[in-house]
């Protein structure tokens, strides 16, 4: 399986400056991002899915710094076949 690179281009909060980053769980997984929101510390929270755990798609959460470096990355596997994350909503 070919590696899918996820690219985020973030020009809207940096007054014309932008950065491009690629994120992937591993070389054999299909990884995708469905939603990105800015966080109060200037970074970004991204949600989507990955096939890295095997046995279907699991939710994937990434928190980045303002420069796009990963602060944490977590795969959420509740045991079902298809569980990617579509939307971030703070209450």
């Amino acid at each position: 399986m070919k590696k899918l690179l996820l690219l985020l281009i973030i020009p809207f909060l940096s007054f014309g400056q932008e950065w491009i980053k690629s994120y992937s769980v591993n070389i054999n997984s299909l990884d995708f991002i469905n939603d990105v929101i800015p966080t109060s510390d200037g970074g970004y929270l991204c949600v989507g899915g990955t096939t890295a755990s095997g046995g279907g798609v699991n939710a994937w959460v990434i928190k980045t710094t303002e420069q796009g470096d990963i602060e944490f990355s977590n795969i959420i596997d509740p045991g079902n076949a298809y569980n990617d994350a579509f939307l971030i909503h703070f209450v």
Side-chain angles (χ1 to χ4, degrees), residues 44-88:
Y44 297 91
L45 187 61
C46 313
V47 296
T50 181
T51 60
S53 298
V57 176
N58 294 302
W60 185 26
V61 179
I62 303 170
K63 169 64 175 80
T64 72
T65 64
E66 189 174 0
Q67 295 78 29
D69 300 320
I70 294 177
E71 286 186 338
F72 73 82
S73 175
N74 193 13
I75 298 171
I76 302 167
D77 181 3
N80 299 330
Y82 196 88
N83 299 295
D84 67 316
F86 288 98
L87 180 68
I88 303 167

Side-chain angles (χ1 to χ4, degrees), residues 20-55:
I20 299 173
K21 295 281 184 169
S22 62
Y23 306 102
S24 183
V25 176
N26 68 47
I27 196 165
N28 295 317
S29 63
L30 172 65
D31 308 311
F32 52 93
I33 297 294
N34 290 323
D35 196 14
V36 178
I37 63 167
T39 57
S40 61
D41 63 356
Y44 297 91
L45 187 61
C46 313
V47 296
T50 181
T51 60
S53 298

